[in-house]
Amino acid sequence: MSESAITITNLTKRFDDITALENLNLEIGWGELFGILGPNGAGKSTTVNILNTLLEPTEGSAIVDGHDVVFDSTGVREVIGVCPQEPAYYRFLSGKENITLMGDMHLVPKDILEERIKTMVEKIGMEDHINRRAKDYSGGMIRRVSMLMALINDPKIALLDEPTVAMDPKSRRAVWEFIRELKGQGKTIILTTHYMEEAQELCDRVAIIDEGKLIALGSPLELMRENHSKNLEEVFLKITGKKLREAV
């Protein structure tokens, strides 16, 4: 096991004349629940997509459990689970069939796979819906199934890109508890979210990114104290100059 779960050094990503990330530096420890916050277009998903090897950086490097995302992408994929911003699933399969397919792709033994699916489905409150076709799911249900697809291989590092979008408050709380349990199992979790209360509730540390640049880093409590703010949403407003509703 490498010293840090993730090491990001001078990470830069350009698309033609747009700089999505500029000289990002982060060190994320094992077992840490780390939040990446920022308005739309800030570079959150770009960071996640570099970490999961879908994008290559223009400059700099990202090391995931000792594996370089460019030169050892296979090694990276073996230790991560990814819940993407845009869920990928088969509409005419049931939720359970989608999760099972992902487990089969990861060569999870059948008996372990069945037990793992049963346990995780119960934890996120999908027991009554898991055998329905995915095309009939609400947006929140799709997000929950996508999250289980990402975690069915029991990864060391979970990349959760806005996992609770479109969820009702009850479902969101169930997912929060599930994420806490993952952290309790020692997993390293990267969480991007537009919900400041979610980051404040769950994260050990957060990075706030705006226009591709890191503008704040620390625990939610540290950032609130430094910015004389009562919550992370107020911190966000002070340092980005943007209200949360303007940022999404």
Side-chain angles (χ1 to χ4, degrees), residues 193-231:
T193 180
H194 281 307
Y195 300 116
M196 297 297 113
E197 77 278 11
E198 184 167 277
Q200 185 173 322
E201 182 85 13
L202 295 176
C203 294
D204 299 312
R205 287 191 302 153
V206 298
I208 299 179
I209 301 175
D210 196 16
E211 298 180 350
K213 298 179 181 178
L214 179 67
I215 59 174
L217 176 66
S219 71
L221 185 58
E222 287 170 347
L223 294 180
M224 287 186 283
R225 285 173 174 169
E226 289 171 8
N227 291 277
H228 307 289
S229 302
K230 64 180 181 295
N231 54 46

Side-chain angles (χ1 to χ4, degrees), residues 44-53 82 159 161 190 192:
K44 303 186 303 298
S45 290
T46 298
T47 302
V48 170
N49 285 335
I50 290 173
L51 293 175
N52 69 25
T53 76
V82 184
L159 306 175
D161 196 357
I190 311 301
T192 77

Side-chain angles (χ1 to χ4, degrees), residues 94-189:
S94 69
K96 183 177 180 180
E97 288 169 337
N98 272 283
I99 300 166
T100 300
L101 178 61
M102 188 62 66
D104 288 341
M105 291 173 65
H106 284 287
L107 304 179
V108 180
K110 290 292 185 184
D111 55 339
I112 295 175
L113 180 58
E114 281 294 322
E115 184 60 31
R116 197 174 286 170
I117 291 173
K118 181 177 183 294
T119 299
M120 293 198 301
V121 165
E122 290 174 354
K123 288 183 184 299
I124 63 166
M126 283 283 289
E127 306 98 307
D128 296 336
H129 309 285
I130 200 63
N131 291 310
R132 290 169 51 193
R133 285 188 176 185
K135 70 180 183 68
D136 299 323
Y137 283 167
S138 66
M141 289 178 184
I142 289 295
R143 298 302 301 178
R144 282 184 279 172
V145 167
S146 180
M147 188 171 176
L148 298 194
M149 291 171 68
L151 297 167
I152 195 61
N153 62 323
D154 193 25
K156 294 164 70 176
I157 299 170
L159 306 175
L160 309 180
D161 196 357
E162 300 189 31
T164 61
V165 167
M167 288 186 191
D168 60 79
K170 182 179 179 180
S171 297
R172 182 175 295 132
R173 290 283 175 177
V175 170
W176 286 9
E177 289 306 313
F178 185 52
I179 291 173
R180 286 192 182 98
E181 286 195 28
L182 295 174
K183 175 179 166 54
Q185 294 167 14
K187 296 190 186 301
T188 301
I189 302 167

